[in-house]
Amino acid sequence: MLARLEIADFRNLAAVRLDCAPGLNLISGDNAAGKTSLLEAVYLLGRARSFRTQRPAELIRRGAAHWRLVARLGADGSAGTLGLQRDGAQFTARLNGAPLPSLAELARVLPVLLLTPDSHRLLDDGPRPRRRFLDWGVFQRDAGFLAHWRRCQLALRQRNAALRQPAMLRSLPGWEAELVSAAGPLDAARAGFVEALAAAAQPQLQALLDTDLRLTLDYRRGWPAGQPLGEVLAEAREGDRRAGHTRHGAHRADFAVRLDGRPPGEALSRGQHKLLVAALVLAQAALYRETCGRPCVLLVDDLPAELDGAHRSRFVERLAATGAQVFVTAIEAAALGGTLPADARLHRLAAGALVEVV
C-alpha cells in the first residue's frame, strides 16, 4: 500500500507529491493532464516496466536528465521507502536505501494489478500477456516458482543455442532433461492456479454482469496432453532445428476463457468483454489477499470508458469490496456517478501538476 507517492521528471509530471488514501483514489483531469502517467509510475514501482512503452527514454521528461519515483509504503508510511530512478541507461531500485537483489522483488514489495481501456487484449492477443498474467499470480502463491521459472528459461536459451549451432547438438539431451525437470513444477503450479482463478472469477463475473453464464478457464501447458515433455522434445528436434527455436514446453503455456463453452466474443458485447477481464483481475486481487494476508494495489485507467452508469456503479462497488488500495482515472469525478465510497480521496491534475485534493 502507498501512503505517499513522489514523482520527479516522469513523462509530463515535473514534481508531483500525492498523499494516498488507503482505499479509493480518484485521479481526475483533462486529457494530457498526466493521469495515465501517474498510474504508469505506480505500475513501474511494482513491475519495473511500463505498460505503455518498451523504450525507457520516453519516460524521462523533456529537458530532464533522469526520472525518479519514491513511495512511502504502508497505511501510515511506516513500512519503508521504495525508490526507483533511471538515468540514461542506468536503472536503480532501492528499498530503505539498500539496492534490491532482484527486480522481481518489486512484485512482493508493491503488488500491482492493472486495468486499462486496452485490457481486452489480454484475451484477444497472443499467449504472452496471458502467461504473464498467470505467472504473476503463481509467483505470489508459490515461493519456489521463480527458481523453477529461471531454471526453465536458462535451459530453454541453451537448447535454442544448441539447435542453431551444429557443434552443440550433442548437448541437446542434457538441456532437454533440465527443461523437463523445471517444467514439471511450473506446470503443476500453473494448473492449480488456473483452477483457483476460475473459481474466484465466477462470482466477480456474476456481480459485474448480473449473469448466470458459467466461466471456465482452459489451461494449456505448452505441449500435447498425454505425452511426456521429454518425448515431445526428442521427437521435435529436427523440426525445432529447422525453426531455430524450441516449439514445445512450459514457455508456451496459455489459457483460454469460455462462457457456457463459447468464446467471449460470441457471448459478450465489447463493454461486457471489458468487465470479463475486470472479473479476472479482481479474482487475482482476491487470491492475492487470500494467500498473502494483505491487499494489493489496483490501477484502473479511464474507468468510465464503454461502461454505462449501472455497470460503472457495480464496478466501483466490486473494487471497494476487494479491500485493495485503488487508483482510478477519469476526466471528471462525476463520470463515476454517485458511487464513490465516503472515504475516497479525489486528486485533480492539470498540465502535469497536482492542483486540488478533496
Side-chain angles (χ1 to χ4, degrees):
M1 181 177 293
L2 291 167
R4 176 176 293 168
L5 174 64
E6 297 179 12
I7 303 173
D9 295 324
F10 184 88
R11 294 281 192 181
N12 67 329
L13 304 174
V16 171
R17 177 172 145 176
L18 202 73
D19 290 317
C20 309
L24 191 142
N25 294 268
L26 174 61
I27 316 298
S28 67
D30 294 335
N31 292 328
K35 304 185 300 297
T36 301
S37 296
L38 192 147
L39 296 193
E40 186 180 18
V42 178
Y43 190 83
L44 260 164
L45 284 162
R47 299 290 186 108
R49 63 184 179 88
S50 165
F51 62 83
R52 300 167 73 189
T53 182
Q54 296 183 359
R55 293 180 286 185
E58 292 183 3
L59 303 178
I60 302 176
R61 191 172 67 92
R62 183 174 298 177
H66 62 266
W67 57 256
R68 184 175 67 257
L69 309 175
V70 178
R72 294 287 295 176
L73 305 173
D76 58 358
S78 62
T81 301
L82 176 63
L84 301 185
Q85 180 170 308
R86 178 129 201 155
D87 182 358
Q90 185 176 7
F91 182 87
T92 57
R94 295 180 179 274
L95 180 63
N96 297 326
L100 282 174
S102 167
L103 291 180
E105 289 303 308
L106 291 173
R108 298 200 195 279
V109 174
L110 188 66
V112 173
L113 292 168
L114 172 73
L115 277 166
T116 77
D118 291 330
S119 287
H120 63 88
R121 295 175 60 181
L122 176 69
L123 305 183
D124 298 340
D125 286 358
R128 179 174 293 181
R130 289 187 293 277
R131 192 161 49 247
R132 282 180 174 171
F133 180 81
L134 172 61
D135 284 351
W136 187 91
V138 181
F139 169 79
Q140 301 292 359
R141 288 167 65 93
D142 187 338
F145 173 80
L146 184 59
H148 295 305
W149 183 88
R150 285 173 170 164
R151 280 182 62 204
C152 189
Q153 291 300 305
L154 175 60
L156 179 64
R157 288 194 297 269
Q158 294 295 335
R159 185 179 188 270
N160 285 342
L163 289 169
R164 300 180 189 120
Q165 300 179 42
M168 295 179 62
L169 289 176
R170 291 183 179 180
S171 68
L172 283 175
W175 290 118
E176 288 168 3
E178 179 68 3
L179 265 177
V180 171
S181 178
L186 282 184
D187 178 50
R190 285 167 168 167
F193 183 76
V194 167
E195 183 178 354
L197 184 65
Q202 182 67 54
Q204 299 288 355
L205 185 69
Q206 289 175 332
L208 289 172
L209 290 180
D210 190 23
T211 180
D212 292 327
L213 290 171
R214 180 173 174 270
L215 182 146
T216 56
L217 299 181
D218 178 17
Y219 171 62
R220 300 167 182 178
R221 60 181 183 172
W223 67 93
Q227 189 174 4
L229 178 57
E231 290 183 6
V232 173
L233 292 173
E235 293 173 0
R237 283 175 193 165
E238 183 57 29
D240 287 354
R241 188 188 64 77
R242 290 194 298 269
H245 63 269
T246 302
R247 296 170 297 159
H248 304 283
H251 62 291
R252 296 284 189 169
D254 193 5
F255 68 88
V257 178
R258 294 288 183 267
L259 298 169
D260 284 349
R262 294 183 293 162
E266 296 181 7
L268 301 178
S269 68
R270 183 176 174 85
Q272 289 174 322
H273 200 147
K274 180 175 182 175
L275 290 172
L276 168 60
V277 176
L280 293 174
V281 172
L282 293 175
Q284 275 269 34
L287 291 175
Y288 176 84
R289 185 163 192 168
E290 176 186 301
T291 300
C292 301
R294 64 188 180 106
C296 62
V297 176
L298 285 169
L299 309 176
V300 184
D301 194 24
D302 197 11
L303 186 151
E306 300 183 33
L307 298 180
D308 59 29
H311 285 104
R312 287 199 300 269
S313 296
R314 289 177 189 169
F315 191 9
V316 173
E317 289 171 4
R318 298 311 299 173
L319 287 172
T322 66
Q325 184 178 41
V326 182
F327 293 83
V328 175
T329 68
I331 292 177
E332 295 290 346
L336 273 64
T339 59
L340 295 180
D343 59 351
R345 187 169 297 171
L346 279 59
H347 315 264
R348 185 163 185 83
L349 290 172
L354 187 66
V355 295
E356 185 180 5
V357 180
V358 180

